[in-house]
Amino acid sequence: MTQANSQASSILRDATKAIAITLTAATLHLTGCAGVTQDASLYRALGGEQGIARLVDRFVEEISYSEDIAPFFADTDPDRFREKLSEQLCNISGGPCEYTGDSMRDSHSGMSISEADFNKTVDLLINVMNKEGVPYPTQNRLLKRLAPMRKDIIYL
Amino acid sequence: MATTTRAATSHSSFRQGLSRIFHRWLFSPGALIRICTLIITAIAMLPIAHAGEGKILAAPGVTQIEGSAGGGLTPWAVLAGYASRDDIAGSVFSSRVGVDDYRLDVWGGALNFYDRVEISVAHQKFDLKQAGAEIRQDIYGAKVRLYGDLIYSEWPQVSTGVQYKRLQDTAIAKAVGAADEEHGTDFYLTASKLHLGAVGGYNLLWSIGVRATKANQLGLLGFGGDKRDRYSAQVEAALAVLLNAHVAVGAEYRQKPDNLGFAEEEDWSDVFIAYFPNKHVNITLAWVDLGDIAGQDNQRGAYLSLTGYLW
Ligand code: HEM
């Protein structure tokens, strides 16, 4: 009885180990190989053109309410910003749009945007997505495509 | 004989462990005061706290049993608290692990300087329930981020750290044959990465590290032993998935050295669920398997930990 149990428990432990190692290896493999797949599923999940337009509208509204972030946009033409951001979100989510705005580096340099500013802005976007009922996995997929841009936005 | 009883009831030992932990942790006066202070401090800081903006929710991980930021058992490359490269973050924590024959209480705090350096202090109190004895140990930790960002860099975040351990109660370490019953230092190197939307849109975090150590059962049974008295490399790994912005579930594995002749030391593992209601507190609950400890086999039970991020 005792033996059987301790044997079972050591098998359980070995199994846990094996699973952990396999999962880690699989993760490393998957994340190492998987490029960004540019199919339109994320675009559709965001609600297509209309969904993105609504997100951008509310995002601009949220920005204007934020004491920390609004000052960055003091001299910005809101219509142009709305248009360019919509194009960009459409484009990176796999939608049928061309991004015609400036590069991330050009449009954010000279502003000294900090890590904290960046995060607050991301938090505003997440709030907007929550309010618009964008599911959590869809939010993550969008953030994944925005994340690589950070290095061309902060501390410039 | 005791083993049979334990083994036969092991399926319910999680429940028992849990209720044990809740009772003793929540209802012992010292702990109660500690927890209340922690919660009140965290809540009191809410309106004035301006930290908590440098990282997204849950990014600092939780606090491991030696006081470093990480999972529950293993340090990760992340540094404690939500500090960005422009600010300093402070946090305090309190944890309890209750297994069949032992109980470990840990409390302490950490400072994060500019998301570059983490300094931590932890006090451990290890109760041997049957013997009615206790072993206390202090751990001073430092961790430096060498490269990257958990989320934003292309490659994983990499950190290296030390944990200097000083035993206050040395009699048991001496009795079981530790080569050094007073102090020891662990060194570790760890890499961690959070992949946004990696599995079906869910964020996935992994961490893997290697530790050079002579510590027997964290150092509570001294450092080095009759079987081996030199540093050995031990692997530590963790894997977690964020179910939503506030809840992470995962598992950890920690390889252990086996330096003492009198009893076997086994590898540790756990499965955990961590809750991040906001950027000021985190509560983690785990089911741990600590294997054999000092001749008592199948030490399993529950782990409960609370971290408060003060600023
Ligand atoms: C991943 C995150 C971000 C993305 C994808 C993004 C995207 C964009 C786009 C597409 C434009 C329009 C470029 C153009 O007019 O040609 C823009 C402009 C702008 N962005 Fe961002 N941005 C991000 C983060 C931030 C942050 C964190 C801030 C400040 C806290 C910021 C402040 C601005 C400002 C002030 C402008 C207007 C510049 C001007 O008036 O010319 N952005 N951004």
Side-chain angles (χ1 to χ4, degrees), chain A residues 72-73 76 80-81 84-85 88 99 101-102 104 107-108 111 113 118 121 146 149 153:
Chain A
F72 285 97
F73 289 86
T76 300
R80 177 188 163 98
F81 178 71
K84 300 303 174 198
L85 185 61
Q88 192 191 39
Y99 174 60
D102 298 334
M104 286 298 98
S107 42
H108 298 95
M111 287 196 251
I113 298 168
F118 185 90
T121 311
L146 296 174
M149 299 175 185
I153 291 173

Side-chain angles (χ1 to χ4, degrees), chain B residues 261-274:
Chain B
F262 94 105
E264 191 187 358
E265 177 164 347
E266 291 188 303
D267 301 345
W268 288 0
S269 59
D270 73 89
V271 289
F272 66 85
I273 178 160

Side-chain angles (χ1 to χ4, degrees), chain A residues 46 51-52 54-63 66 69 81 85 88-89 92 117-135 138-147 149, chain B residues 152:
Chain A
L46 289 169
I52 288 175
R54 252 199 326 274
L55 284 179
V56 170
D57 278 348
R58 290 199 78 155
F59 184 47
V60 170
E61 203 176 311
E62 289 284 332
I63 288 174
S66 163
I69 305 305
F81 178 71
L85 185 61
Q88 192 191 39
L89 294 184
I92 61 168
D117 297 328
F118 185 90
N119 259 296
K120 282 175 200 156
T121 311
V122 171
D123 281 345
L124 293 179
L125 179 62
I126 292 173
N127 284 347
V128 166
M129 292 195 286
N130 282 334
K131 285 181 189 163
E132 286 292 318
V134 176
T138 306
Q139 296 184 15
N140 293 332
R141 288 168 66 203
L142 179 62
L143 294 178
K144 178 190 177 150
R145 298 191 187 179
L146 296 174
M149 299 175 185
Chain B
Y152 294 107

Side-chain angles (χ1 to χ4, degrees), chain A:
Chain A
M1 169 71 194
T2 311
Q3 279 235 309
N5 260 297
S6 76
Q7 213 166 47
S9 85
S10 89
I11 289 170
L12 198 76
R13 238 194 317 273
D14 287 347
T16 319
K17 261 183 244 176
I19 291 169
I21 292 167
T22 316
L23 277 177
T24 313
T27 314
L28 291 174
H29 181 75
L30 275 177
T31 50
C33 300
V36 179
T37 46
Q38 288 294 8
D39 64 275
S41 70
L42 178 56
Y43 177 69
R44 283 195 300 272
L46 289 169
E49 193 184 336
Q50 283 179 356
I52 288 175
R54 252 199 326 274
L55 284 179
V56 170
D57 278 348
R58 290 199 78 155
F59 184 47
V60 170
E61 203 176 311
E62 289 284 332
I63 288 174
S64 72
Y65 295 145
S66 163
E67 272 173 40
D68 299 310
I69 305 305
F72 285 97
F73 289 86
D75 301 324
T76 300
D77 170 2
D79 291 334
R80 177 188 163 98
F81 178 71
R82 235 185 238 111
E83 176 193 320
K84 300 303 174 198
L85 185 61
S86 303
E87 280 176 14
Q88 192 191 39
L89 294 184
C90 167
N91 181 266
I92 61 168
S93 65
C97 313
E98 202 65 51
Y99 174 60
T100 63
D102 298 334
S103 74
M104 286 298 98
R105 193 162 265 280
D106 287 346
S107 42
H108 298 95
S109 58
M111 287 196 251
S112 304
I113 298 168
S114 69
E115 266 181 7
D117 297 328
F118 185 90
N119 259 296
K120 282 175 200 156
T121 311
V122 171
D123 281 345
L124 293 179
L125 179 62
I126 292 173
N127 284 347
V128 166
M129 292 195 286
N130 282 334
K131 285 181 189 163
E132 286 292 318
V134 176
Y136 179 69
T138 306
Q139 296 184 15
N140 293 332
R141 288 168 66 203
L142 179 62
L143 294 178
K144 178 190 177 150
R145 298 191 187 179
L146 296 174
M149 299 175 185
R150 192 179 83 140
K151 61 179 187 305
D152 295 320
I153 291 173
I154 61 172
Y155 298 106
L156 296 176

